[in-house]
Amino acid sequence: MILQRFCISFFMQKLDREQVLELCRTDPEAAAELILHLFEKIEEFEARIKALEDQLSKNSRNSSKPPSSDGLKRQTKSLRKK
């Protein structure tokens, strides 16, 4: 119950140092659960960021996307001689 309250509180507003210390003093098990939960969220966010970065780096030259999906930015020409 305490963990749920602190998790909800954390995501609704940032916990201050005193609140975190109070949780550690009063319920170390809940504090450990909260820390583990936060590590899981960090892993989820890192995976999501990587997926979005991978998605942004794709264009018609390095994927199966059609050239019309590249947008209006100008294509750079290769400096290699043919």
Side-chain angles (χ1 to χ4, degrees):
M1 185 62 151
I2 292 174
L3 176 60
Q4 288 177 336
R5 186 184 61 174
F6 274 95
C7 283
I8 291 169
S9 175
F10 178 78
F11 289 111
M12 298 303 279
Q13 65 181 11
K14 184 178 173 186
L15 293 177
D16 64 22
R17 182 178 176 80
E18 291 304 316
Q19 289 173 313
V20 172
L21 290 172
E22 180 63 25
L23 177 63
C24 292
R25 279 191 294 271
T26 59
D27 194 350
E29 196 63 35
E33 287 296 319
L34 177 61
I35 291 168
L36 292 173
H37 175 74
L38 293 174
F39 277 125
E40 288 175 10
K41 295 305 279 183
I42 289 169
E43 287 177 352
E44 288 175 22
F45 291 142
E46 286 175 337
R48 179 72 176 142
I49 289 169
K50 175 149 180 36
L52 290 170
E53 286 174 341
D54 290 346
Q55 189 178 7
L56 277 175
S57 67
K58 291 183 181 176
N59 61 34
S60 63
R61 291 178 183 236
N62 61 13
S63 72
S64 61
K65 292 174 65 174
S68 61
S69 68
D70 286 345
L72 298 176
K73 60 185 173 186
R74 190 173 180 157
Q75 294 289 329
T76 57
K77 290 191 175 195
S78 174
L79 298 176
R80 285 195 245 164
K81 295 184 180 189
K82 292 184 181 179

